[in-house]
Amino acid sequence: MKFSKYSYNDMNEILTNQGAVMIKRTFKAIGILLIFGLSLSSLYLVNLFFMKPVSIDHFLGKEFLTGLADSPESMTYIGIFDQFNWITRHNSKLSILNPNDLQTNIKDAKKTLKILNKYKDSSLSDNQKITKKIAIFDTENNLKQLEEFPYHDYPLNQVRGEHHNLISFMSDMHPIRSLSEAKDFIKRTNLVIDVYSGLLGWLERQAAEGIYAPKFVYDHLIKQLNELINYSIEEHPLYTQFIKKAKLLDISDDELANLDAGLKSSIENSVTPGFVLLRDFMVSTKVNANPHHGIWSQPNGDEFYELRIRSYTTTDYSPQKIHDLGVSEVARISSRMKEILVSLGYDASKTAGTLMNELNEDPSMLYADTPDRKKIVVQDYMDMVTEATEGIKGYFHTMPKSPVTVIAAPEYSEKTAPGGWYQSPALDGSRPGAFYVNLYDIKQTPKYSMKTLAYHEATPGHHHQIAHSLENDELTLYRRFGYGTSAFSEGWALYSEQLALEAGLAPDPYDELGILQSEIFRAVRLVVDTGIHYKKWTREEAIAYMKAKTGMSDTECRVEIERYIVWPGQALSYKVGMIKILELREKAMNALGDKFNIKDFHSAVLDHGNPPLFIVEQKIDEMISKGLTNN
């Protein structure tokens, strides 16, 4: 979840002395530029940091780099900066929220928008015009949220809450390849109490605005936080993951013992007290929990939801239009599912949803609940990814260089985490792309649905698209890293499931049922997300609808609906994005006829980073025009 501009992934400590801020930002950004291998003259540095930028790419590149300088977590995540930690010191720091951040971010957004609007289209290249459109669209949406809805997010939630995010970041992202990196890990954990103190202040300001999460969110969070508080040191996820990595280092027994003692002290004096702060806040404010589930019930909730739709889908669709589109798509997909099920001999008198429920419970579709089940399932997923990577090559001009691996979801988050998700590779090649699978509930892993998830999260879905962009040297810094939208990335991933089916990777009708179930799942999201946040449905009504239409397990339906409640609008992006890509493909096929080339189409879609859908449409129109002209 994008925590506006207040996430610890987006912020750094605010120094009181503003002159020190500029000096710090300048020297850190210079270090970053050196890491990127740019040629820096004195005049270039002056222009970059203190004078008016020469070009829009120059300006947005500077904004991106100085933003990185203020986000030690982002620098760690990208990976290529770690060997220059002696300059940036990012691996020993965490971002801490400050009450002054809101006004600072509003001021910065207004300044950025003003500068962007000064660039005249007549002086820009075609790519720069696209960049300008994207940057203005993003900045306007961000500014509107900062000014009108600064406290409408739920940064502390049961799915992607900051309490789990920080543990995930430290366990999965912070490198421990040397003694110094291990020491930096402990320095960071010593800051956890400060991070959560800053978050607590934000939550208190949110409460002052009369915004509280629904009651079930409180129930989940209090339980999760109590579990984190009650871990013994030796069982704590931060400790177990750290010690496992530290024991692989080439260090002495005394050095390992010092690390062990240092982390134990940090958990006892910083990490656990931080969780106690958050737990006590949730307990004390539970009496004020929102009795409703939709964002409509929060102050100006309808207007906030419209902004979320615009940000996540990159369209101006109304909630009603999206709801109606979802109802129509659910009916269409249900019909195809029923057709396949009847052909396989299932009872024609039952609905597709009922039959899929039965299929979901079929023992032949489930793994045996053995101690090594997770290892077996992970290997089966890896085999599917390998097969898909080979089988899809004929549909693209190039394939990503970065590999992707399959990892079981961490035990501390698997009870409330989604069925699967993707984590991008490090730019320096030190970390591959990762496809995480949630194996907590055996019913979440029916065999017929596994290929679909592999196509969505890995190849040709998220991994293919994201790694392709990261490896695209033709993109500017801003276009590679500065903007992204789930309408594109999730739309592409859902489109990829159908593409894999078209490529013959899922010849078994049960595999096609898995793909259709995935698609109807996303179509149902259009109905339930707007149902909850616009039509005032309850959580229970939404769960019942999803269960009836998809055949998903009770656990899956509950986890998913609760995710949409705390993350308004994001779930709409998948199907809206897929529909747009398919519409554009059909448009290109009809216009170009025999000259249509699927590889060219995919390049036109993928070669421009992670843009809004209106930019994708522009690039496909250009592809069509070029194809017709060459004719």
Side-chain angles (χ1 to χ4, degrees):
M1 180 180 69
K2 186 178 181 182
F3 184 11
S4 184
K5 279 200 171 182
Y6 289 91
S7 170
Y8 64 74
N9 288 322
D10 294 323
M11 294 297 299
N12 194 12
E13 301 162 59
I14 302 297
L15 301 181
T16 303
N17 186 299
Q18 293 303 309
V21 172
M22 176 56 74
I23 294 171
K24 174 187 174 186
R25 286 165 62 97
T26 299
F27 278 97
K28 289 180 73 176
I30 289 172
I32 292 169
L33 286 166
L34 288 169
I35 294 165
F36 267 103
L38 300 179
S39 175
L40 301 174
S41 66
S42 299
L43 178 60
Y44 182 85
L45 288 175
V46 170
N47 282 334
L48 183 59
F49 297 109
F50 299 109
M51 304 297 288
K52 181 179 179 180
V54 174
S55 72
I56 192 169
D57 296 328
H58 187 164
F59 167 68
L60 290 171
K62 183 212 71 172
E63 290 292 292
F64 169 73
L65 290 169
T66 52
L68 277 182
D70 280 342
S71 178
E73 295 87 355
S74 294
M75 295 173 72
T76 296
Y77 184 84
I78 288 176
I80 63 174
F81 306 116
D82 289 345
Q83 60 185 309
F84 294 90
N85 187 56
W86 60 275
I87 297 176
T88 60
R89 304 292 185 186
H90 61 280
N91 274 341
S92 61
K93 298 177 181 179
L94 293 171
S95 301
I96 300 170
L97 299 177
N98 183 288
N100 298 323
D101 292 343
L102 178 58
Q103 291 306 314
T104 299
N105 287 329
I106 289 174
K107 181 180 178 181
D108 288 346
K110 287 181 175 180
K111 180 181 178 181
T112 296
L113 191 59
K114 183 177 180 180
I115 293 173
L116 288 170
N117 282 313
K118 286 184 177 181
Y119 288 98
K120 303 300 182 183
D121 286 354
S122 58
S123 65
L124 302 178
S125 68
D126 289 342
N127 276 334
Q128 288 175 331
K129 290 175 185 176
I130 289 174
T131 297
K132 178 182 174 182
K133 288 181 182 178
I134 295 172
I136 288 177
F137 175 79
D138 186 37
T139 306
E140 285 179 342
N141 291 338
N142 182 52
L143 180 59
K144 186 175 180 65
Q145 175 156 341
L146 289 170
E147 289 187 314
E148 300 180 27
F149 314 106
Y151 299 108
H152 277 63
D153 280 319
Y154 299 127
L156 204 57
N157 65 73
Q158 80 284 357
V159 181
R160 296 167 60 91
E162 298 297 303
H163 59 309
H164 278 163
N165 285 349
L166 195 147
I167 290 182
S168 297
F169 171 77
M170 293 299 297
S171 299
D172 300 337
M173 294 291 100
H174 183 101
I176 302 177
R177 299 163 296 194
S178 65
L179 179 60
S180 63
E181 288 182 340
K183 290 179 178 179
D184 281 344
F185 185 101
I186 296 172
K187 291 177 182 178
R188 271 181 156 162
T189 56
N190 283 333
L191 294 173
V192 169
I193 184 66
D194 298 322
V195 172
Y196 288 150
S197 293
L199 176 58
L200 178 62
W202 190 96
L203 292 169
E204 290 171 343
R205 293 190 291 278
Q206 181 186 52
E209 297 291 325
I211 299 175
Y212 298 91
K215 181 180 179 300
F216 77 86
V217 178
Y218 277 81
D219 293 336
H220 282 312
L221 285 171
I222 291 171
K223 180 179 179 181
Q224 290 174 358
L225 288 164
N226 276 330
E227 288 176 352
L228 291 168
I229 290 167
N230 292 327
Y231 273 122
S232 68
I233 295 292
E234 289 74 14
E235 295 175 336
H236 200 287
L238 284 177
Y239 179 81
T240 57
Q241 295 300 310
F242 175 84
I243 290 299
K244 184 187 301 183
K245 297 172 183 177
K247 286 182 177 179
L248 299 176
L249 298 177
D250 184 18
I251 58 177
S252 68
D253 290 343
D254 286 344
E255 288 170 328
L256 180 61
N258 288 335
L259 291 174
D260 184 285
L263 184 56
K264 285 179 178 177
S265 175
S266 183
I267 291 173
E268 182 178 355
N269 297 304
S270 176
V271 178
T272 298
F275 290 136
V276 170
L277 282 178
L278 300 180
R279 190 274 314 274
D280 289 351
F281 173 83
M282 298 305 294
V283 170
S284 66
T285 58
K286 184 177 178 180
V287 65
N288 299 318
N290 191 345
H292 306 292
H293 297 132
I295 200 66
W296 60 267
S297 61
Q298 303 290 11
N300 300 315
D302 288 336
E303 292 81 2
F304 176 64
Y305 190 49
E306 290 176 359
L307 176 61
R308 276 303 170 92
I309 290 175
R310 185 171 192 261
S311 298
Y312 280 125
T313 72
T314 66
T315 72
D316 290 321
Y317 293 172
S318 69
Q320 187 64 53
K321 178 175 181 176
I322 292 175
H323 188 86
D324 293 342
L325 182 61
V327 170
S328 174
E329 282 293 280
V330 167
R332 178 187 64 80
I333 301 164
S334 293
S335 177
R336 174 58 182 157
M337 293 173 75
K338 181 71 172 290
E339 180 183 345
I340 295 174
L341 287 162
V342 171
S343 73
L344 291 170
Y346 289 89
D347 189 345
S349 66
K350 296 181 179 179
T351 66
T354 299
L355 292 173
M356 293 303 292
N357 268 304
E358 294 176 2
L359 187 61
N360 215 44
E361 303 286 341
D362 187 342
S364 69
M365 291 292 172
L366 301 174
Y367 285 85
D369 196 7
T370 59
D372 61 346
R373 178 176 64 86
K374 289 186 179 182
K375 182 178 180 180
I376 294 171
V377 175
V378 165
Q379 184 57 54
D380 286 350
Y381 268 121
M382 195 67 242
D383 292 342
M384 294 173 189
V385 171
T386 301
E387 178 187 37
T389 301
E390 287 299 315
I392 207 68
K393 286 182 177 179
Y395 289 79
F396 300 94
H397 286 300
T398 61
M399 296 292 289
K401 297 176 183 177
S402 176
V404 59
T405 189
V406 182
I407 302 173
E411 292 185 0
Y412 62 80
S413 65
E414 62 183 1
K415 291 182 182 179
T416 55
W421 66 94
Y422 174 74
Q423 174 185 288
S424 64
L427 286 179
D428 63 356
S430 62
R431 185 184 71 244
F435 163 27
Y436 283 87
V437 292
N438 190 340
L439 304 178
Y440 172 70
D441 186 344
I442 195 169
K443 292 182 180 180
Q444 287 185 323
T445 316
K447 295 177 182 178
Y448 70 87
S449 69
M450 291 174 63
K451 283 189 175 181
T452 309
L453 189 60
Y455 302 149
H456 183 101
E457 301 294 345
T459 302
H462 283 317
H463 177 68
H464 185 105
Q465 176 257 311
I466 293 172
H468 180 83
S469 291
L470 292 177
E471 296 167 7
N472 187 353
D473 293 333
E474 298 299 316
L475 294 174
T476 64
L477 284 178
Y478 176 77
R479 294 284 289 277
R480 283 174 86 184
F481 309 111
Y483 173 80
T485 168
S486 53
F488 180 83
S489 60
E490 298 295 357
W492 171 263
L494 189 54
Y495 165 79
S496 294
E497 298 173 19
Q498 181 168 320
L499 178 64
L501 179 64
E502 295 168 350
L505 293 174
D508 191 308
Y510 284 102
D511 290 331
E512 183 178 354
L513 281 174
I515 289 172
L516 290 168
Q517 187 185 51
S518 174
E519 186 179 4
I520 200 172
F521 168 41
R522 273 51 178 237
V524 163
R525 284 176 166 180
L526 302 184
V527 180
V528 296
D529 197 278
T530 53
I532 294 165
H533 296 297
Y534 172 66
K535 290 183 172 292
K536 303 182 180 180
W537 287 13
T538 65
R539 176 183 61 161
E540 291 69 29
E541 287 175 314
I543 290 172
Y545 182 90
M546 176 170 278
K547 175 76 173 176
K549 298 298 182 181
T550 65
M552 292 164 58
S553 71
D554 292 339
T555 299
E556 287 178 301
C557 290
R558 178 187 59 78
V559 169
E560 287 296 330
I561 294 301
E562 291 179 349
R563 165 190 164 184
Y564 312 152
I565 290 171
V566 299
W567 205 1
Q570 192 273 344
L572 304 175
S573 55
Y574 298 68
K575 195 71 173 84
V576 170
M578 177 199 191
I579 289 171
K580 176 56 68 175
I581 294 172
L582 287 171
E583 284 179 351
L584 293 173
R585 189 176 74 172
E586 183 177 6
K587 179 179 181 180
M589 291 173 70
N590 291 337
L592 296 174
D594 292 342
K595 286 190 171 292
F596 176 81
N597 184 313
I598 192 66
K599 293 182 180 180
D600 292 341
F601 174 78
H602 288 152
S603 290
V605 172
L606 293 175
D607 286 353
H608 307 284
N610 189 341
L613 295 179
F614 56 82
I615 297 298
V616 180
E617 184 162 12
Q618 177 180 329
K619 300 310 296 183
I620 298 304
D621 286 343
E622 291 174 4
M623 184 196 81
I624 293 171
S625 179
K626 181 179 179 181
L628 293 174
T629 300
N630 291 339
N631 191 28

